Amino acid sequence: MPRPQAYRRPSSPSENIALGIALLTALIVAAPVISLALTALQPAADVWPHLVAYVLPQSLRDTAWLLLGVGGLTLLIGTATAWLVSSHDFAGRTLLVWLLPLPLAVPTYLSAYVYVDLFEPLGLAHRALALLMPAAQAVQWLPQLRSLPGAVLLLALVLYPYVYLSARAVFQAQSADAIEAARTLGASRLTIWRRVVLPMARPALAVGVALAALETLNDIGASEYLGVRTLTVSVFTTWLNRGSLAGAAQLSLVLLGFAALLITIERIGRRRASTEFSAENPRLRPRTPLRGAKGSLAFLGCLLPALLGFVVPAAYLLGESLRRGLAGRIDPSLWRDALHTVTLASIATLLALALGLIAVLAARWRGGRIATTAVAVVQLGYALPGLVLALGLLAPLLALDGALVALAQSVGLASPGLLLMSSGGAVVAAYVIRFLAVPTGMLKAGFERIPRDYDDSARAAGASRLVTLAKVDLPLLRPALVGAAILVFVDCLKELPATLLLRPLNVETLSTSIYQYASRGSFEEGALAALIIVAASIPPVIWLTRFSDLPE
């Protein structure tokens, strides 16, 4: 006898509209990749043989080594520091808990510009060494930062907090039961670390390393400045220097292959490990006191990456700003660039919050495979490097501009020209697509903490979906909304590749202005703009630290 089908309430107009917008948002996120694939199909007979023979081998090699180096070093620094501050008590530990994540406030390109300025001939480090030895001999003691090892080191010092924050959240929540059980069976500390602690933390470590690697793929300012010819740099030069859009698109597909590989490895790393703890005995592992030399070594070991990743760049930018009197006589162009930056970032933040909320609502209200798939596609935008995203957006945005011109002419209006490309709309679109995963993920997690009974009770009392959203859900989602807005806004401030290539003519943001100064060999003149970006990025990093911490 067939089972009776469950009654399904007819969908309301609000639910259908939310689902439609969610599907449209997913299509917008997927559009650059589709456009990129179509562009790559165009013939590039005069360019592709050159790329295969002279560009692609070195780009693949440099990209692979850079990803391996940054991934390995961020894993080492992030895991070691997270373990020390989560599992041990020592003097200065409380300071380190707040200081260790702060390198995230320094964009990768700023770290490269600062350290090259410090260690180049006639830089601060060279002048200091010249006090102890002849100037010509002092040059030989300067590290060669314009190299692949230099890029690995500088990027890892900025990106290790991705691993640190993920690992710390797990280490401080680990139950004492599994560790004590291993100890009673005679396992040594090294065995416990290798067989118990690391497997339990592996999913978090995989997430952190994957995020650091994706940021490495997205980087163009640091890699180009340090002379590392990654795939991202090769896409940039192929597009702008050789004028081959098809060749750049073909290289971009290779770059997307790297991003897909990273995401696959990360998901495999999460799937093959379990992090479940005892629900009956949630007793956490107590921190082990470290005194004397051990405590001092732990403090210094954790302090060093924070000093190199945040304190040194921030102090340099502050010193240059004060030394040049930039804070007292601010160039009017800085205010203009800051206004452009804040305007574009604010619009993108509002759009990302709205679209992310609607996509999550569609999955919550309607459910089903279609809505769930739409949310999953919406969250894939972060995996797109900014340069690839900019390249993929060109054709769709130009087509939309062309359609607007045709529409205006058909009704007898003056042609608006390239409205999206000339007004900053292209930059806003890139920001929204790239960072839409942030509000979507945070709001999705926020909704999971709101029992569906609240919605059902409101609906039973006669409230519509929109009234329930306004009166019940949004007040409970306020922390997630505020956190997502802060993170998206600051990410937009720091974004360089997409802004560099999609901004309107004669329009600079803080990040592109700094890039222009560095390209002319006068980065120190953009120190105040760089300091503004770092200062604006500190509050979100502190918020992330509070969000990931358990009460002390």
Side-chain angles (χ1 to χ4, degrees), residues 167-231:
R168 174 161 163 71
V170 173
F171 286 151
Q172 66 179 343
Q174 283 187 341
S175 169
D177 294 341
I179 295 174
E180 291 180 358
R183 186 171 295 154
T184 59
L185 294 175
S188 64
R189 289 185 179 181
L190 180 60
T191 301
I192 292 173
W193 167 262
R194 183 171 56 88
R195 301 293 296 273
V196 179
V197 175
L198 279 184
M200 294 169 71
R202 192 171 69 190
L205 298 179
V207 171
V209 172
L211 287 173
L214 286 173
E215 285 299 316
T216 302
L217 275 183
N218 181 61
D219 170 76
I220 185 173
S223 300
E224 182 189 33
Y225 198 68
L226 298 175
V228 181
R229 197 173 184 81
T230 61
L231 278 169

Side-chain angles (χ1 to χ4, degrees), residues 417-448:
L418 298 178
L419 184 61
L420 293 174
M421 297 297 295
S422 63
S423 66
V427 177
V428 170
Y431 288 169
V432 171
I433 293 173
R434 176 154 168 72
F435 302 121
L436 189 55
V438 175
T440 303
M442 294 184 68
L443 292 174
K444 184 178 178 183
F447 268 116
E448 289 174 354

Side-chain angles (χ1 to χ4, degrees), residues 21 38 42 51-52 84 169 207 214 236 266 292 323 325 358 361 368 445 448 471 495:
I21 295 176
L38 294 176
Q42 298 177 8
L51 296 178
V52 172
L84 285 172
V207 171
L214 286 173
F236 182 75
E266 179 264 331
R323 186 172 69 88
I358 293 172
L361 284 174
E448 289 174 354
K471 299 294 186 180
E495 173 63 26

Side-chain angles (χ1 to χ4, degrees), residues 517-540:
Y517 279 123
S519 299
R520 295 194 296 265
S522 55
F523 162 66
E524 60 277 1
E525 294 181 19
L528 185 56
L531 187 63
I532 291 173
I533 291 179
V534 172
S537 303
I538 291 175

Side-chain angles (χ1 to χ4, degrees), residues 124 193 204 307 342 387 436 505:
L124 181 62
W193 167 262
L307 282 176
V342 171
L387 183 64
L436 189 55
L505 292 175

Side-chain angles (χ1 to χ4, degrees), residues 162 211 215 349 352-353 356-357 360 375 378-383 431-446 480-492 543-544:
Y162 283 113
L211 287 173
E215 285 299 316
T349 299
L353 285 177
L357 176 61
V360 175
V375 172
V378 163
Q379 291 182 282
L380 291 177
Y382 192 78
Y431 288 169
V432 171
I433 293 173
R434 176 154 168 72
F435 302 121
L436 189 55
V438 175
T440 303
M442 294 184 68
L443 292 174
K444 184 178 178 183
L481 284 168
V482 172
I486 293 173
L487 292 177
V488 172
F489 183 82
V490 173
D491 279 339
C492 293
W543 182 86
L544 275 176

